[in-house]
Amino acid sequence: LQLFAGSLSVLKRLFKCQLTICLSTGMASWKLSVGSWSLDLGSQPLTIGPYTLSNYKIGPYIFNPKSFTLSDEALKKLGLSVAGSAVGLFASYQLLKAVGVIKKREWVKVAEVTELYLYPIKSCKGTSVPAVELDRYGAVGDRRFMIVDDAGRFLSQRTDPQMCHIHPKLQQNGTVVLDAPHMGTITHTPVLKHSKTNDLIWAEVWEDKVKAVEQGNMTAAWLSSYMQKSVSMVGMGGSYSRPTKKKYTPSSTTGQVSFADGFPLLVISEESLNDLNSKMKESIGMDRFRPNVVIKGCQPFAEDTWKKIRIGDQEMFCVKPCSRCKIPTIDQKTGKEGLQPKQALDTYRTKEDIGTKVGDKSDIFFGQNLIHCRPGKIKVGDAVYALM
């Protein structure tokens, strides 16, 4: 009844309509008039079994009965009353739609996928692929491993820029070949279950603590030798769970994420990168921003405005613009840090500039974080649609 009355209140404000409400003992009737048009919304019984809902407070068309206890018979009758209210809600919705206040949203083609990337080890080099499978955590093979210190805390290019030179290559048989400058390659076989030689540990990704499986001494020794300090690698085991932040997670999505910073997927348009490069003396590549999905065919930063997109048959929510750390300032070919693109982004991609409610005043944003709705597949060449 509250929902129904609330919808009538909206109608009254929008159309300056006349709303007539008649209350009698155990009965309430509604009639709505807009100009010469009127709709009899019927009567709702307020007597349920042996209980009479009386002493109503009349607020903005909301009726709040005193508390009462319902028998099985009363519950059955209450269901009929709610069904009647639902009919009224439907009539209100149809009216709003008829006069154009509620418009049907449609999928509109906005771009096309031009590149897809996987980053098997968090903060290490990525690989371009023609297609990706999506599971509940994101792209299969993306950030499923993570380099940690002796305390289990994740390491990244923020503190160890030489990680940009570690190149993990996924093989068809499921193994991962690691390569890095001045190091011989090593073939790593993923460990999915803990054992006597591979412990299940608590690893830290930002403020999250997750159960992860140690990936063995051989890989740890290879990584420690390259990074010149004691490190090891952990992977996602069968008990792994890391929910995305609730305030950014629609209920119809998978709601889980791998070792990525916060969300399963990141999309950036070529037009956005071109716009950024036009504001700098030297252009930079897309690898500075480490997206999973690169698209083309839209206006610069159009991805800021989308709420929901569809790639192929995969629907995804655009949940949060991506705030950027220092990694984009690291040249992925040399490992050296510079001033750009931070200086350029500071001039027009701050919280105030893009009108977002997330982040701090000092944050800069580039790209859009995505949470997908279900497992599936996307590929290069797929059309990108936005729900408009």
Side-chain angles (χ1 to χ4, degrees), residues 49-160:
Y51 303 99
T52 299
L53 309 186
S54 56
N55 299 322
Y56 276 69
K57 248 191 225 174
I58 302 178
Y61 318 116
I62 303 264
F63 305 100
N64 298 312
K66 289 184 176 180
S67 61
F68 57 91
T69 304
L70 296 176
S71 63
D72 290 343
E73 180 64 23
L75 284 171
K76 191 180 297 183
K77 292 188 177 183
L78 178 61
L80 295 174
S81 178
V82 172
S85 296
V87 172
L89 275 172
F90 178 74
S92 302
Y93 168 76
Q94 292 297 329
L95 175 61
L96 288 170
K97 193 165 72 168
V99 298
V101 174
I102 296 178
K103 296 182 180 179
K104 183 179 179 181
R105 301 182 73 189
E106 296 180 340
W107 290 105
V108 178
K109 184 178 178 181
V110 291
E112 183 177 293
V113 177
T114 55
E115 292 180 288
L116 293 168
Y117 287 94
L118 294 178
Y119 307 86
I121 303 176
K122 182 177 179 64
S123 215
C124 293
K125 192 171 183 178
T127 299
S128 177
V129 294
V132 297
E133 298 284 344
L134 300 177
D135 63 10
R136 63 189 303 224
Y137 302 104
V140 174
D142 184 65
R143 287 136 171 140
R144 301 304 164 99
F145 303 99
M146 179 171 69
I147 300 173
V148 298
D149 60 19
D150 291 340
R153 179 76 176 171
F154 83 99
L155 299 177
S156 76
Q157 292 184 38
R158 297 169 183 84
T159 55
D160 298 272

Side-chain angles (χ1 to χ4, degrees), residues 6-312:
S7 68
L8 296 182
S9 178
V10 171
L11 285 173
K12 183 174 175 64
R13 293 181 185 181
L14 284 174
F15 302 109
K16 299 180 180 178
C17 59
Q18 180 64 39
L19 177 66
T20 303
I21 302 175
C22 297
L23 283 177
S24 60
T25 304
M27 186 68 69
S29 301
W30 291 271
K31 185 175 182 180
L32 182 68
S33 300
V34 183
S36 61
W37 182 90
S38 65
L39 174 65
D40 187 352
L41 298 174
S43 300
Q44 298 298 319
L46 301 180
T47 301
I48 302 175
Y51 303 99
T52 299
L53 309 186
S54 56
N55 299 322
Y56 276 69
K57 248 191 225 174
I58 302 178
Y61 318 116
I62 303 264
F63 305 100
N64 298 312
K66 289 184 176 180
S67 61
F68 57 91
T69 304
L70 296 176
S71 63
D72 290 343
E73 180 64 23
L75 284 171
K76 191 180 297 183
K77 292 188 177 183
L78 178 61
L80 295 174
S81 178
V82 172
S85 296
V87 172
L89 275 172
F90 178 74
S92 302
Y93 168 76
Q94 292 297 329
L95 175 61
L96 288 170
K97 193 165 72 168
V99 298
V101 174
I102 296 178
K103 296 182 180 179
K104 183 179 179 181
R105 301 182 73 189
E106 296 180 340
W107 290 105
V108 178
K109 184 178 178 181
V110 291
E112 183 177 293
V113 177
T114 55
E115 292 180 288
L116 293 168
Y117 287 94
L118 294 178
Y119 307 86
I121 303 176
K122 182 177 179 64
S123 215
C124 293
K125 192 171 183 178
T127 299
S128 177
V129 294
V132 297
E133 298 284 344
L134 300 177
D135 63 10
R136 63 189 303 224
Y137 302 104
V140 174
D142 184 65
R143 287 136 171 140
R144 301 304 164 99
F145 303 99
M146 179 171 69
I147 300 173
V148 298
D149 60 19
D150 291 340
R153 179 76 176 171
F154 83 99
L155 299 177
S156 76
Q157 292 184 38
R158 297 169 183 84
T159 55
D160 298 272
Q162 72 271 30
M163 289 176 66
C164 71
H165 294 309
I166 300 174
H167 192 182
K169 302 173 185 177
L170 293 171
Q171 306 299 301
Q172 289 186 346
N173 63 0
T175 61
V176 183
V177 174
L178 303 182
D179 192 11
H182 313 298
M183 298 286 294
T185 60
I186 182 175
T187 299
H188 173 75
T189 300
V191 181
L192 302 179
K193 294 182 179 180
H194 67 280
S195 63
K196 292 181 179 179
T197 57
N198 300 94
D199 290 337
L200 185 67
I201 69 166
W202 285 104
E204 294 184 33
V205 193
W206 296 111
E207 68 271 20
D208 295 331
K209 288 188 175 182
V210 295
K211 289 182 179 179
V213 182
E214 288 187 329
Q215 296 296 297
N217 295 331
M218 187 180 300
T219 300
W222 188 93
L223 290 168
S224 296
S225 177
Y226 173 70
M227 296 184 66
Q228 294 295 294
K229 61 181 178 180
S230 178
V231 301
S232 60
M233 188 166 78
V234 297
M236 293 168 52
S239 60
Y240 180 89
S241 177
R242 187 180 169 220
T244 49
K245 288 186 177 180
K246 189 174 181 179
K247 66 179 179 179
Y248 298 121
T249 306
S251 60
S252 59
T253 62
T254 59
Q256 288 280 332
V257 63
S258 63
F259 292 130
D261 277 353
F263 300 96
L265 299 164
L266 175 67
V267 62
I268 300 177
S269 70
E270 292 185 17
E271 287 80 5
S272 297
L273 179 62
N274 292 339
D275 186 85
L276 174 61
N277 280 329
S278 71
K279 302 180 184 302
M280 301 185 295
K281 291 182 179 179
E282 294 184 9
S283 296
I284 60 174
M286 191 67 82
D287 59 351
R288 295 283 190 104
F289 298 99
R290 304 174 65 76
N292 298 105
V293 184
V294 180
I295 60 176
K296 183 179 181 180
C298 58
Q299 292 297 312
F301 305 108
E303 55 266 42
D304 290 347
T305 65
W306 302 332
K307 300 300 181 185
K308 190 176 184 180
I309 64 172
R310 189 180 77 213
I311 301 177

